[in-house]
């Protein structure tokens, strides 16, 4: 079973190499699709040595959908640019999907660097609850199921939770114990508690029915301030 790993990027030169290497260390067959949202750094140059790079209008959902569209594998794995697959991940997925009717699932999570707060937040993220299945954990899904659902909803934020909600309803969603490793950079930049409180506020408002379009301007990352207003949020 060929695994297509789709990585959305925008100015990720500091992290993309490690993400690519984590895929290249896996057993074949696999392919890497980097869907780039007009990076202004060396991201595309770095990725082009190891992956098929496509240029896409900015917006993580749009980028992942575009990457999936050109992918050729039966199994789609969506990996953030600052995340890394664990060793043996793709072989494990192939084994799981070959055994029966499994349609989709998500990895566990750990942060790099480690520490007290990263460990606490990672432990919470591992809970088997579809409402906290964020994209930095590494979502995987059969290509046929992804296409049947229409891919990621092209909303500016929480596109991951919206798709996972649809997948969970199909009663074949699996929580892996293997952990994807994701950079702890946002917490380091904005503060452990400050960032988590802000994330929690956005998540609560989303679950109470606030449209993603109204929440997107509250997404605090510096990269978002550089995007034109009409574009989706990364």
């Amino acid at each position: 079973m060929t695994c297509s790993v789709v990585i959305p990027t925008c100015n990720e030169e500091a992290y993309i190499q490690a993400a690519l290497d984590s895929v290249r260390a896996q057993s074949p067959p696999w392919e890497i699709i980097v869907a780039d949202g007009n990076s202004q750094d060396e991201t595309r140059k770095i990725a082009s040595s190891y992956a098929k790079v496509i240029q896409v209008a900015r917006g993580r959902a749009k980028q992942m959908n575009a990457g999936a569209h050109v992918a050729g594998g039966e199994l789609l794995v969506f990996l953030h640019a600052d995340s890394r697959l664990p060793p043996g991940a793709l072989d494990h997925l192939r084994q799981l999907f070959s055994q029966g009717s499994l349609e989709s699932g998500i990895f566990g999570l750990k942060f790099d660097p480690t520490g007290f707060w990263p460990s606490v937040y990672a432990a919470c993220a591992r809970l088997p609850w579809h409402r906290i299945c964020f994209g930095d954990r590494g979502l995987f899904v059969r290509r046929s199921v992804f296409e049947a659902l229409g891919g990621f909803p092209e909303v500016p934020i929480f596109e991951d939770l919206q798709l996972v909600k649809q997948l969970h309803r199909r009663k074949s969603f699996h929580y892996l114990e293997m952990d994807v490793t994701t950079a702890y950079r946002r917490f380091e930049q904005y503060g452990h508690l400050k960032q988590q409180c802000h994330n929690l506020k956005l998540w609560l408002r989303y679950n109470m029915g606030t449209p993603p379009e109204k929440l997107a301007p509250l997404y605090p990352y510096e990269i978002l301030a550089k995007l034109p207003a009409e574009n989706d949020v990364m």
Side-chain angles (χ1 to χ4, degrees), residues 168-199:
H168 196 263
R169 286 173 175 170
R170 296 173 66 95
K171 308 298 183 183
S172 184
F173 190 85
H174 186 74
Y175 298 91
L176 281 188
E177 293 185 3
M178 300 179 78
D179 293 333
V180 161
T181 300
T182 293
Y184 196 66
R185 55 177 171 169
R186 305 304 183 191
F187 294 91
E188 290 179 321
Q189 182 178 359
Y190 295 102
H192 303 287
L193 294 177
K194 181 179 179 181
Q195 180 64 45
Q196 185 64 10
C197 288
H198 190 80
N199 290 346

Side-chain angles (χ1 to χ4, degrees), residues 23-59:
V23 181
R24 295 174 62 227
Q26 306 290 321
S27 299
W30 48 257
E31 65 173 350
I32 307 173
I33 310 295
V34 170
D36 186 71
N38 193 31
S39 291
Q40 302 301 304
D41 60 6
E42 297 296 308
T43 298
R44 291 196 302 274
K45 181 179 179 180
I46 296 170
S48 63
S49 298
Y50 313 102
K52 180 175 183 178
V53 180
I54 60 173
Q55 193 76 25
V56 187
R58 289 178 182 177

